[in-house]
Amino acid sequence: MQRNLWHSLKEIGSLWRWVLPGAVVIGLVVAARLAGSLQGLELLTLDAFLRHRPVEPEDDRIVLVGIDATDMQQTGYPIRDRALIDLLNALQTYKPAVIGLHILQNQIVQSKDGALFAALKQRQPLIVSEKILAAADQIPAPSGFPPNQIGLIDLIPDGDNHVRRTILGTFDPISPETYKLSLTIGLVEKYLVYQNRNLTLKNGFRDPEAMRFGSTELPRLRPTGAYAGADTGNPQLLLNFRQHHQPFRVLSLRQVRAGNVDPAWLRDRIVIVGITDPKIRPIIATAAIDPTNSLEIQAHAVSQIISAVLNQRLLLNTWTDGWEYLWIFGWGLTAIIWGRSKLLPKSKLLGIGIGQIGLIGISYLLLLGGWWIPVIPASFVWLLNGIGCTAFYKYDWVLRSRLNENQRVIEERQRMIEQTFDVIHNGPLQTLASLLRQMRDGMPPAHLFAALEHLNRELRGIGEHLKQETLTQEESLYLRDGLKVDLKLPMHELFFEVYSKTLERSDFPRFETLKIAGYFEPIEHPSLSIEHKRSLCRFLEEALCNVGKHAEGATSLNVTGTQTDTWYILEIKDNGIGIRSTIDGEGTKHARNVASRLGGQFKRESVSPKGTLCKLTFPLTRPRFQFREHRG
């Protein structure tokens, strides 16, 4: 039962090892979206989808009367009120359903002998414009018109200065108790009343803060998804531009004045009058259609609402947050599962490409159905997790294959280590333990007992020490007292690490009284493998420990790593009592083996007037920089 439980836990751990990186990717993408970092890409994708929709017929219910640059030469600017009144009176003779004046009061010059629009023959089918959103740019409507004949025409560009949404209404910033509607809503409402549709403006069913005409609810844009952090406190509607090279009939002021107009073009229509001279009304950027003017933007807004109410043309909706992030998570999780499959990497990558095409295709079809869904975040988690998990699985497979090949060698080395430890434990450790017990009974001198205790700890650490280095099979060196050094560091930095950490050992109090200086030049040696580095570090550690143990009377220690054109020289020199035995110990034999493997030389000798020098020399290449450390 315990074995089954352990197997289950291993399976869970293996699965989590796969899921965790993918979950991190999903979390980062979601966080980036919530922070608004993906907004630009999501909006550009929306533009591309809208631009590539099928062509729609012209909406002949809306007619634009544009005052262009040629007309401006006749009317002047600001436009003389007499010219504008004559135009409006002429248009009213064709009996349009409603006229929207998309011209602000500050763009009209008033005659000295009369109030603005006083000479209008009929005011009822006319709606005038105002701007109220920006406090510094507020332009009130002309006087003499009731609130239901006034509409705001403020535009709300996105961060890239492209227009993709329209405002439907807002509370007046100056008079917060007053709610004002847009020119778009005013034109739509009057047109529907004119058509005897009995479809007045009301609050929404699903969203009480939304607007609706009959059963058609205008979906409010919310400050989430691609518009995370955007100011959408006032009801706003995504513009579903009519896809046509000329979506509305456009007349000029000259044509109306001259009577070059078919009465059928204007009768029962929505007529919007505005300035189209780009010098006065700059071109508006919108990537979903060709750059246009604010008059045509107004026409698109009116057209999409009327078409939705009367013809069931789809408005642009968005999912709620829950569904959007479930969609993103679903694609990310599917990519993780796909990357973990047993297919060949080429097949996986082909599947990722097909999946990406499918994701874009589904998103496009949903947009044609009136739903704008998060394409970019889903694409990110699909591609990153799909490609990442595929690469990770391939790497894991290669690594496992190599581990299997090396497993037998590792097990053999481990067996030899355990045997060596058993020999040490069953021989000298047991003898030493017995000796300690006898010394405790006989109350030996304190300093001798402490020395033997230290030797006991040092010997017992040999086995575990060797096990760590062999079992981990990593590019690291385990020094005594559990310290670890990264063998991927340059050799001169490794020397300094070993040098510093060995001199900090508490079991060599002699180091605290020595005047110590260390100096290591860098090494560029392509043939220095990890094992070579490990051997050199062991040599330096052993040489320093010998000073700590045996350099009686020493007051200074110099450790240097210098180089000539072709050799590197590592020296450890103290001014202690010098060498007292001519017999080579195990440390000296190890040093000679290290020198032999590197193609170098080693010598250990007494120096004059006193002291000991350990010197290891091996070939090298030219240096780059120096690293120095001094202690005293």
Side-chain angles (χ1 to χ4, degrees), residues 337-370:
I337 296 171
W338 180 256
R340 194 172 182 266
S341 66
K342 301 297 184 180
L343 296 173
L344 294 174
K346 288 184 179 179
S347 299
K348 290 183 182 180
L349 294 176
L350 178 61
I352 292 169
I354 294 173
Q356 180 62 31
I357 294 172
L359 169 58
I360 294 174
I362 292 170
S363 302
Y364 175 74
L365 292 175
L366 285 173
L367 186 79
L368 295 182

PDB file of all heavy atoms in Angstrom, residues 337-370:
ATOM      1  N   ILE A 337      -1.272  19.963 -22.578  1.00  0.00           N
ATOM      2  CA  ILE A 337      -1.568  18.555 -22.856  1.00  0.00           C
ATOM      3  C   ILE A 337      -0.986  18.143 -24.205  1.00  0.00           C
ATOM      4  O   ILE A 337      -0.412  17.057 -24.357  1.00  0.00           O
ATOM      5  CB  ILE A 337      -3.092  18.322 -22.816  1.00  0.00           C
ATOM      6  CG1 ILE A 337      -3.626  18.589 -21.410  1.00  0.00           C
ATOM      7  CG2 ILE A 337      -3.438  16.900 -23.254  1.00  0.00           C
ATOM      8  CD1 ILE A 337      -5.136  18.586 -21.316  1.00  0.00           C
ATOM      9  N   TRP A 338      -1.125  19.020 -25.196  1.00  0.00           N
ATOM     10  CA  TRP A 338      -0.591  18.713 -26.519  1.00  0.00           C
ATOM     11  C   TRP A 338       0.931  18.595 -26.482  1.00  0.00           C
ATOM     12  O   TRP A 338       1.512  17.690 -27.097  1.00  0.00           O
ATOM     13  CB  TRP A 338      -1.010  19.803 -27.496  1.00  0.00           C
ATOM     14  CG  TRP A 338      -0.513  19.595 -28.899  1.00  0.00           C
ATOM     15  CD1 TRP A 338       0.513  20.240 -29.516  1.00  0.00           C
ATOM     16  CD2 TRP A 338      -1.022  18.666 -29.856  1.00  0.00           C
ATOM     17  NE1 TRP A 338       0.676  19.786 -30.796  1.00  0.00           N
ATOM     18  CE2 TRP A 338      -0.252  18.814 -31.038  1.00  0.00           C
ATOM     19  CE3 TRP A 338      -2.051  17.725 -29.844  1.00  0.00           C
ATOM     20  CZ2 TRP A 338      -0.486  18.051 -32.183  1.00  0.00           C
ATOM     21  CZ3 TRP A 338      -2.279  16.970 -30.988  1.00  0.00           C
ATOM     22  CH2 TRP A 338      -1.505  17.139 -32.129  1.00  0.00           C
ATOM     23  N   GLY A 339       1.594  19.485 -25.764  1.00  0.00           N
ATOM     24  CA  GLY A 339       3.047  19.428 -25.678  1.00  0.00           C
ATOM     25  C   GLY A 339       3.549  18.189 -24.963  1.00  0.00           C
ATOM     26  O   GLY A 339       4.668  17.733 -25.195  1.00  0.00           O
ATOM     27  N   ARG A 340       2.732  17.607 -24.095  1.00  0.00           N
ATOM     28  CA  ARG A 340       3.133  16.423 -23.330  1.00  0.00           C
ATOM     29  C   ARG A 340       2.800  15.123 -24.055  1.00  0.00           C
ATOM     30  O   ARG A 340       3.136  14.041 -23.580  1.00  0.00           O
ATOM     31  CB  ARG A 340       2.435  16.445 -21.965  1.00  0.00           C
ATOM     32  CG  ARG A 340       2.989  15.474 -20.951  1.00  0.00           C
ATOM     33  CD  ARG A 340       2.385  15.704 -19.578  1.00  0.00           C
ATOM     34  NE  ARG A 340       2.965  14.798 -18.593  1.00  0.00           N
ATOM     35  CZ  ARG A 340       2.452  13.626 -18.250  1.00  0.00           C
ATOM     36  NH1 ARG A 340       1.321  13.227 -18.797  1.00  0.00           N
ATOM     37  NH2 ARG A 340       3.050  12.854 -17.357  1.00  0.00           N
ATOM     38  N   SER A 341       2.142  15.220 -25.212  1.00  0.00           N
ATOM     39  CA  SER A 341       1.767  14.021 -25.948  1.00  0.00           C
ATOM     40  C   SER A 341       3.007  13.290 -26.464  1.00  0.00           C
ATOM     41  O   SER A 341       4.113  13.817 -26.460  1.00  0.00           O
ATOM     42  CB  SER A 341       0.846  14.386 -27.115  1.00  0.00           C
ATOM     43  OG  SER A 341       1.552  15.167 -28.062  1.00  0.00           O
ATOM     44  N   LYS A 342       2.804  12.071 -26.940  1.00  0.00           N
ATOM     45  CA  LYS A 342       3.906  11.218 -27.385  1.00  0.00           C
ATOM     46  C   LYS A 342       4.250  11.404 -28.855  1.00  0.00           C
ATOM     47  O   LYS A 342       5.085  10.684 -29.389  1.00  0.00           O
ATOM     48  CB  LYS A 342       3.543   9.744 -27.142  1.00  0.00           C
ATOM     49  CG  LYS A 342       3.240   9.404 -25.694  1.00  0.00           C
ATOM     50  CD  LYS A 342       4.457   9.619 -24.801  1.00  0.00           C
ATOM     51  CE  LYS A 342       4.162   9.188 -23.368  1.00  0.00           C
ATOM     52  NZ  LYS A 342       5.333   9.399 -22.481  1.00  0.00           N
ATOM     53  N   LEU A 343       3.622  12.376 -29.518  1.00  0.00           N
ATOM     54  CA  LEU A 343       3.898  12.602 -30.929  1.00  0.00           C
ATOM     55  C   LEU A 343       5.316  13.117 -31.132  1.00  0.00           C
ATOM     56  O   LEU A 343       5.950  13.642 -30.211  1.00  0.00           O
ATOM     57  CB  LEU A 343       2.903  13.610 -31.502  1.00  0.00           C
ATOM     58  CG  LEU A 343       1.427  13.176 -31.526  1.00  0.00           C
ATOM     59  CD1 LEU A 343       0.570  14.357 -31.957  1.00  0.00           C
ATOM     60  CD2 LEU A 343       1.224  11.991 -32.449  1.00  0.00           C
ATOM     61  N   LEU A 344       5.784  12.976 -32.363  1.00  0.00           N
ATOM     62  CA  LEU A 344       7.095  13.521 -32.702  1.00  0.00           C
ATOM     63  C   LEU A 344       7.047  15.050 -32.655  1.00  0.00           C
ATOM     64  O   LEU A 344       5.999  15.646 -32.905  1.00  0.00           O
ATOM     65  CB  LEU A 344       7.515  13.062 -34.097  1.00  0.00           C
ATOM     66  CG  LEU A 344       7.775  11.557 -34.269  1.00  0.00           C
ATOM     67  CD1 LEU A 344       8.040  11.241 -35.731  1.00  0.00           C
ATOM     68  CD2 LEU A 344       8.947  11.116 -33.402  1.00  0.00           C
ATOM     69  N   PRO A 345       8.182  15.691 -32.354  1.00  0.00           N
ATOM     70  CA  PRO A 345       8.193  17.165 -32.277  1.00  0.00           C
ATOM     71  C   PRO A 345       7.670  17.829 -33.545  1.00  0.00           C
ATOM     72  O   PRO A 345       6.959  18.835 -33.468  1.00  0.00           O
ATOM     73  CB  PRO A 345       9.672  17.484 -32.039  1.00  0.00           C
ATOM     74  CG  PRO A 345      10.202  16.277 -31.332  1.00  0.00           C
ATOM     75  CD  PRO A 345       9.468  15.109 -31.926  1.00  0.00           C
ATOM     76  N   LYS A 346       8.005  17.283 -34.735  1.00  0.00           N
ATOM     77  CA  LYS A 346       7.512  17.896 -35.973  1.00  0.00           C
ATOM     78  C   LYS A 346       5.990  17.847 -36.032  1.00  0.00           C
ATOM     79  O   LYS A 346       5.333  18.811 -36.460  1.00  0.00           O
ATOM     80  CB  LYS A 346       8.114  17.175 -37.183  1.00  0.00           C
ATOM     81  CG  LYS A 346       9.598  17.455 -37.389  1.00  0.00           C
ATOM     82  CD  LYS A 346      10.098  16.787 -38.648  1.00  0.00           C
ATOM     83  CE  LYS A 346      11.593  17.084 -38.882  1.00  0.00           C
ATOM     84  NZ  LYS A 346      12.084  16.412 -40.099  1.00  0.00           N
ATOM     85  N   SER A 347       5.419  16.723 -35.620  1.00  0.00           N
ATOM     86  CA  SER A 347       3.966  16.595 -35.629  1.00  0.00           C
ATOM     87  C   SER A 347       3.328  17.554 -34.628  1.00  0.00           C
ATOM     88  O   SER A 347       2.271  18.144 -34.890  1.00  0.00           O
ATOM     89  CB  SER A 347       3.571  15.158 -35.296  1.00  0.00           C
ATOM     90  OG  SER A 347       4.099  14.254 -36.254  1.00  0.00           O
ATOM     91  N   LYS A 348       3.991  17.711 -33.488  1.00  0.00           N
ATOM     92  CA  LYS A 348       3.468  18.642 -32.485  1.00  0.00           C
ATOM     93  C   LYS A 348       3.468  20.076 -33.010  1.00  0.00           C
ATOM     94  O   LYS A 348       2.488  20.809 -32.863  1.00  0.00           O
ATOM     95  CB  LYS A 348       4.298  18.556 -31.206  1.00  0.00           C
ATOM     96  CG  LYS A 348       4.125  17.266 -30.427  1.00  0.00           C
ATOM     97  CD  LYS A 348       4.940  17.340 -29.153  1.00  0.00           C
ATOM     98  CE  LYS A 348       4.839  16.054 -28.358  1.00  0.00           C
ATOM     99  NZ  LYS A 348       5.618  16.114 -27.113  1.00  0.00           N
ATOM    100  N   LEU A 349       4.578  20.466 -33.627  1.00  0.00           N
ATOM    101  CA  LEU A 349       4.668  21.831 -34.149  1.00  0.00           C
ATOM    102  C   LEU A 349       3.651  22.060 -35.262  1.00  0.00           C
ATOM    103  O   LEU A 349       3.064  23.145 -35.370  1.00  0.00           O
ATOM    104  CB  LEU A 349       6.088  22.109 -34.646  1.00  0.00           C
ATOM    105  CG  LEU A 349       7.172  22.134 -33.558  1.00  0.00           C
ATOM    106  CD1 LEU A 349       8.542  22.328 -34.183  1.00  0.00           C
ATOM    107  CD2 LEU A 349       6.894  23.233 -32.542  1.00  0.00           C
ATOM    108  N   LEU A 350       3.435  21.034 -36.097  1.00  0.00           N
ATOM    109  CA  LEU A 350       2.418  21.148 -37.132  1.00  0.00           C
ATOM    110  C   LEU A 350       1.039  21.322 -36.493  1.00  0.00           C
ATOM    111  O   LEU A 350       0.235  22.151 -36.933  1.00  0.00           O
ATOM    112  CB  LEU A 350       2.437  19.908 -38.019  1.00  0.00           C
ATOM    113  CG  LEU A 350       1.372  19.853 -39.132  1.00  0.00           C
ATOM    114  CD1 LEU A 350       1.556  21.024 -40.095  1.00  0.00           C
ATOM    115  CD2 LEU A 350       1.440  18.524 -39.867  1.00  0.00           C
ATOM    116  N   GLY A 351       0.779  20.546 -35.435  1.00  0.00           N
ATOM    117  CA  GLY A 351      -0.496  20.676 -34.737  1.00  0.00           C
ATOM    118  C   GLY A 351      -0.666  22.046 -34.096  1.00  0.00           C
ATOM    119  O   GLY A 351      -1.769  22.600 -34.075  1.00  0.00           O
ATOM    120  N   ILE A 352       0.439  22.616 -33.576  1.00  0.00           N
ATOM    121  CA  ILE A 352       0.375  23.958 -32.981  1.00  0.00           C
ATOM    122  C   ILE A 352       0.010  24.989 -34.055  1.00  0.00           C
ATOM    123  O   ILE A 352      -0.814  25.886 -33.829  1.00  0.00           O
ATOM    124  CB  ILE A 352       1.716  24.308 -32.316  1.00  0.00           C
ATOM    125  CG1 ILE A 352       1.938  23.416 -31.080  1.00  0.00           C
ATOM    126  CG2 ILE A 352       1.764  25.780 -31.916  1.00  0.00           C
ATOM    127  CD1 ILE A 352       3.332  23.503 -30.522  1.00  0.00           C
ATOM    128  N   GLY A 353       0.608  24.838 -35.254  1.00  0.00           N
ATOM    129  CA  GLY A 353       0.276  25.757 -36.338  1.00  0.00           C
ATOM    130  C   GLY A 353      -1.175  25.641 -36.764  1.00  0.00           C
ATOM    131  O   GLY A 353      -1.857  26.650 -36.969  1.00  0.00           O
ATOM    132  N   ILE A 354      -1.665  24.406 -36.884  1.00  0.00           N
ATOM    133  CA  ILE A 354      -3.065  24.197 -37.262  1.00  0.00           C
ATOM    134  C   ILE A 354      -3.991  24.755 -36.178  1.00  0.00           C
ATOM    135  O   ILE A 354      -5.025  25.382 -36.468  1.00  0.00           O
ATOM    136  CB  ILE A 354      -3.322  22.701 -37.499  1.00  0.00           C
ATOM    137  CG1 ILE A 354      -2.529  22.213 -38.717  1.00  0.00           C
ATOM    138  CG2 ILE A 354      -4.816  22.431 -37.687  1.00  0.00           C
ATOM    139  CD1 ILE A 354      -2.593  20.721 -38.939  1.00  0.00           C
ATOM    140  N   GLY A 355      -3.615  24.525 -34.910  1.00  0.00           N
ATOM    141  CA  GLY A 355      -4.418  25.047 -33.812  1.00  0.00           C
ATOM    142  C   GLY A 355      -4.488  26.558 -33.819  1.00  0.00           C
ATOM    143  O   GLY A 355      -5.546  27.148 -33.545  1.00  0.00           O
ATOM    144  N   GLN A 356      -3.362  27.209 -34.145  1.00  0.00           N
ATOM    145  CA  GLN A 356      -3.349  28.672 -34.197  1.00  0.00           C
ATOM    146  C   GLN A 356      -4.254  29.177 -35.316  1.00  0.00           C
ATOM    147  O   GLN A 356      -5.013  30.148 -35.139  1.00  0.00           O
ATOM    148  CB  GLN A 356      -1.921  29.172 -34.404  1.00  0.00           C
ATOM    149  CG  GLN A 356      -1.781  30.681 -34.472  1.00  0.00           C
ATOM    150  CD  GLN A 356      -2.217  31.365 -33.195  1.00  0.00           C
ATOM    151  OE1 GLN A 356      -2.084  30.805 -32.115  1.00  0.00           O
ATOM    152  NE2 GLN A 356      -2.749  32.568 -33.325  1.00  0.00           N
ATOM    153  N   ILE A 357      -4.201  28.518 -36.461  1.00  0.00           N
ATOM    154  CA  ILE A 357      -5.094  28.899 -37.564  1.00  0.00           C
ATOM    155  C   ILE A 357      -6.553  28.696 -37.152  1.00  0.00           C
ATOM    156  O   ILE A 357      -7.428  29.525 -37.425  1.00  0.00           O
ATOM    157  CB  ILE A 357      -4.758  28.070 -38.821  1.00  0.00           C
ATOM    158  CG1 ILE A 357      -3.349  28.437 -39.323  1.00  0.00           C
ATOM    159  CG2 ILE A 357      -5.792  28.313 -39.907  1.00  0.00           C
ATOM    160  CD1 ILE A 357      -2.850  27.554 -40.439  1.00  0.00           C
ATOM    161  N   GLY A 358      -6.807  27.576 -36.456  1.00  0.00           N
ATOM    162  CA  GLY A 358      -8.162  27.319 -35.985  1.00  0.00           C
ATOM    163  C   GLY A 358      -8.642  28.357 -34.994  1.00  0.00           C
ATOM    164  O   GLY A 358      -9.804  28.795 -35.038  1.00  0.00           O
ATOM    165  N   LEU A 359      -7.747  28.774 -34.095  1.00  0.00           N
ATOM    166  CA  LEU A 359      -8.099  29.798 -33.107  1.00  0.00           C
ATOM    167  C   LEU A 359      -8.480  31.105 -33.787  1.00  0.00           C
ATOM    168  O   LEU A 359      -9.490  31.740 -33.455  1.00  0.00           O
ATOM    169  CB  LEU A 359      -6.917  30.014 -32.155  1.00  0.00           C
ATOM    170  CG  LEU A 359      -6.977  31.222 -31.211  1.00  0.00           C
ATOM    171  CD1 LEU A 359      -8.217  31.150 -30.330  1.00  0.00           C
ATOM    172  CD2 LEU A 359      -5.720  31.288 -30.356  1.00  0.00           C
ATOM    173  N   ILE A 360      -7.685  31.503 -34.767  1.00  0.00           N
ATOM    174  CA  ILE A 360      -7.982  32.746 -35.487  1.00  0.00           C
ATOM    175  C   ILE A 360      -9.286  32.602 -36.271  1.00  0.00           C
ATOM    176  O   ILE A 360     -10.128  33.511 -36.294  1.00  0.00           O
ATOM    177  CB  ILE A 360      -6.820  33.105 -36.424  1.00  0.00           C
ATOM    178  CG1 ILE A 360      -5.570  33.434 -35.596  1.00  0.00           C
ATOM    179  CG2 ILE A 360      -7.186  34.281 -37.329  1.00  0.00           C
ATOM    180  CD1 ILE A 360      -4.326  33.656 -36.423  1.00  0.00           C
ATOM    181  N   GLY A 361      -9.481  31.431 -36.907  1.00  0.00           N
ATOM    182  CA  GLY A 361     -10.695  31.214 -37.673  1.00  0.00           C
ATOM    183  C   GLY A 361     -11.944  31.238 -36.808  1.00  0.00           C
ATOM    184  O   GLY A 361     -12.956  31.863 -37.170  1.00  0.00           O
ATOM    185  N   ILE A 362     -11.884  30.578 -35.664  1.00  0.00           N
ATOM    186  CA  ILE A 362     -13.034  30.578 -34.747  1.00  0.00           C
ATOM    187  C   ILE A 362     -13.340  31.996 -34.278  1.00  0.00           C
ATOM    188  O   ILE A 362     -14.500  32.420 -34.223  1.00  0.00           O
ATOM    189  CB  ILE A 362     -12.752  29.653 -33.549  1.00  0.00           C
ATOM    190  CG1 ILE A 362     -12.700  28.188 -34.009  1.00  0.00           C
ATOM    191  CG2 ILE A 362     -13.819  29.813 -32.465  1.00  0.00           C
ATOM    192  CD1 ILE A 362     -12.200  27.241 -32.944  1.00  0.00           C
ATOM    193  N   SER A 363     -12.297  32.734 -33.935  1.00  0.00           N
ATOM    194  CA  SER A 363     -12.487  34.102 -33.445  1.00  0.00           C
ATOM    195  C   SER A 363     -13.100  34.985 -34.527  1.00  0.00           C
ATOM    196  O   SER A 363     -13.962  35.830 -34.243  1.00  0.00           O
ATOM    197  CB  SER A 363     -11.140  34.679 -32.979  1.00  0.00           C
ATOM    198  OG  SER A 363     -10.566  33.876 -31.969  1.00  0.00           O
ATOM    199  N   TYR A 364     -12.660  34.790 -35.763  1.00  0.00           N
ATOM    200  CA  TYR A 364     -13.203  35.584 -36.874  1.00  0.00           C
ATOM    201  C   TYR A 364     -14.678  35.263 -37.100  1.00  0.00           C
ATOM    202  O   TYR A 364     -15.516  36.164 -37.276  1.00  0.00           O
ATOM    203  CB  TYR A 364     -12.394  35.324 -38.138  1.00  0.00           C
ATOM    204  CG  TYR A 364     -12.935  36.003 -39.366  1.00  0.00           C
ATOM    205  CD1 TYR A 364     -12.788  37.371 -39.558  1.00  0.00           C
ATOM    206  CD2 TYR A 364     -13.596  35.263 -40.340  1.00  0.00           C
ATOM    207  CE1 TYR A 364     -13.289  38.003 -40.691  1.00  0.00           C
ATOM    208  CE2 TYR A 364     -14.101  35.882 -41.479  1.00  0.00           C
ATOM    209  CZ  TYR A 364     -13.947  37.249 -41.653  1.00  0.00           C
ATOM    210  OH  TYR A 364     -14.449  37.867 -42.764  1.00  0.00           O
ATOM    211  N   LEU A 365     -15.014  33.972 -37.089  1.00  0.00           N
ATOM    212  CA  LEU A 365     -16.406  33.576 -37.293  1.00  0.00           C
ATOM    213  C   LEU A 365     -17.300  34.094 -36.164  1.00  0.00           C
ATOM    214  O   LEU A 365     -18.445  34.514 -36.399  1.00  0.00           O
ATOM    215  CB  LEU A 365     -16.503  32.050 -37.391  1.00  0.00           C
ATOM    216  CG  LEU A 365     -15.875  31.424 -38.649  1.00  0.00           C
ATOM    217  CD1 LEU A 365     -15.938  29.910 -38.568  1.00  0.00           C
ATOM    218  CD2 LEU A 365     -16.568  31.929 -39.912  1.00  0.00           C
ATOM    219  N   LEU A 366     -16.764  34.066 -34.933  1.00  0.00           N
ATOM    220  CA  LEU A 366     -17.542  34.593 -33.817  1.00  0.00           C
ATOM    221  C   LEU A 366     -17.758  36.101 -33.964  1.00  0.00           C
ATOM    222  O   LEU A 366     -18.821  36.626 -33.595  1.00  0.00           O
ATOM    223  CB  LEU A 366     -16.845  34.279 -32.493  1.00  0.00           C
ATOM    224  CG  LEU A 366     -16.955  32.822 -32.020  1.00  0.00           C
ATOM    225  CD1 LEU A 366     -16.076  32.582 -30.795  1.00  0.00           C
ATOM    226  CD2 LEU A 366     -18.414  32.485 -31.692  1.00  0.00           C
ATOM    227  N   LEU A 367     -16.762  36.804 -34.502  1.00  0.00           N
ATOM    228  CA  LEU A 367     -16.942  38.234 -34.726  1.00  0.00           C
ATOM    229  C   LEU A 367     -18.034  38.484 -35.760  1.00  0.00           C
ATOM    230  O   LEU A 367     -18.847  39.408 -35.608  1.00  0.00           O
ATOM    231  CB  LEU A 367     -15.630  38.873 -35.184  1.00  0.00           C
ATOM    232  CG  LEU A 367     -15.708  40.403 -35.307  1.00  0.00           C
ATOM    233  CD1 LEU A 367     -15.588  41.046 -33.938  1.00  0.00           C
ATOM    234  CD2 LEU A 367     -14.642  40.960 -36.233  1.00  0.00           C
ATOM    235  N   LEU A 368     -18.067  37.659 -36.802  1.00  0.00           N
ATOM    236  CA  LEU A 368     -19.151  37.785 -37.775  1.00  0.00           C
ATOM    237  C   LEU A 368     -20.497  37.525 -37.118  1.00  0.00           C
ATOM    238  O   LEU A 368     -21.523  38.037 -37.577  1.00  0.00           O
ATOM    239  CB  LEU A 368     -18.939  36.803 -38.938  1.00  0.00           C
ATOM    240  CG  LEU A 368     -17.712  37.035 -39.826  1.00  0.00           C
ATOM    241  CD1 LEU A 368     -17.669  36.015 -40.942  1.00  0.00           C
ATOM    242  CD2 LEU A 368     -17.711  38.450 -40.398  1.00  0.00           C
ATOM    243  N   GLY A 369     -20.486  36.728 -36.040  1.00  0.00           N
ATOM    244  CA  GLY A 369     -21.707  36.473 -35.295  1.00  0.00           C
ATOM    245  C   GLY A 369     -21.968  37.491 -34.210  1.00  0.00           C
ATOM    246  O   GLY A 369     -22.904  37.318 -33.410  1.00  0.00           O
ATOM    247  N   GLY A 370     -21.123  38.550 -34.126  1.00  0.00           N
ATOM    248  CA  GLY A 370     -21.370  39.630 -33.176  1.00  0.00           C
ATOM    249  C   GLY A 370     -20.640  39.511 -31.867  1.00  0.00           C
ATOM    250  O   GLY A 370     -20.924  40.263 -30.924  1.00  0.00           O
TER     251      GLY A 370
END
